[in-house]
Amino acid sequence: MKKIIASLAAVCMTAVLFTSCDPDKPRCWEVTYTLNNAEITLYQYCSRNDLNTYVDDLEEKLGVDVVTKRAGNLSETDCLGKNLDVI
C-alpha cells in the first residue's frame, strides 16, 4: 500500500512540475528594484522569456538589481491595474 501511495505522489509531483513551466505563457509578475534609495515595484503581464528581456534591460540601463516573483493568477487587466495602486 505504501508503494502505491508513494508512486501516486511521484506521478502527481511530476505532473505539477511539467505543467507549470511553459516559458511562453503570459503571467503576472511583480518586478521590484531600488533606485535612489526608493524601492520601486511594478507589475508586468508577460511570458518568462519577455520578463527576462525586460529585467536585463532594467539592470543594464539603470544599473540596479531586479527581483521578480509571480504575482498570482491574475488576468492581464487585473495585473496591470495593480500598477495604478502604487501611483
Side-chain angles (χ1 to χ4, degrees):
M1 185 69 168
K2 289 181 184 178
K3 289 182 182 180
I4 293 173
I5 292 173
S7 297
L8 288 174
V11 168
C12 289
M13 290 303 293
T14 303
V16 168
L17 290 174
F18 284 110
T19 57
S20 63
C21 295
D22 181 5
D24 293 322
K25 181 178 179 183
R27 293 183 168 91
C28 187
W29 300 96
E30 182 180 291
V31 179
T32 305
Y33 59 93
T34 302
L35 184 64
N36 297 329
N37 297 325
E39 186 174 275
I40 300 168
T41 300
L42 301 171
Y43 294 88
Q44 292 288 323
Y45 189 83
C46 59
S47 69
R48 166 136 343 248
N49 292 333
D50 291 340
L51 178 69
N52 290 339
T53 302
Y54 177 72
V55 167
D56 289 344
D57 285 346
L58 279 177
E59 290 177 337
E60 181 181 326
K61 290 177 182 172
L62 299 178
V64 296
D65 290 324
V66 179
V67 177
T68 62
K69 69 178 183 177
R70 285 272 313 270
N73 292 322
L74 300 174
S75 68
E76 182 176 8
T77 303
D78 291 339
C79 180
L80 297 177
K82 290 180 74 66
N83 287 318
L84 299 176
D85 294 341
V86 296
I87 295 177

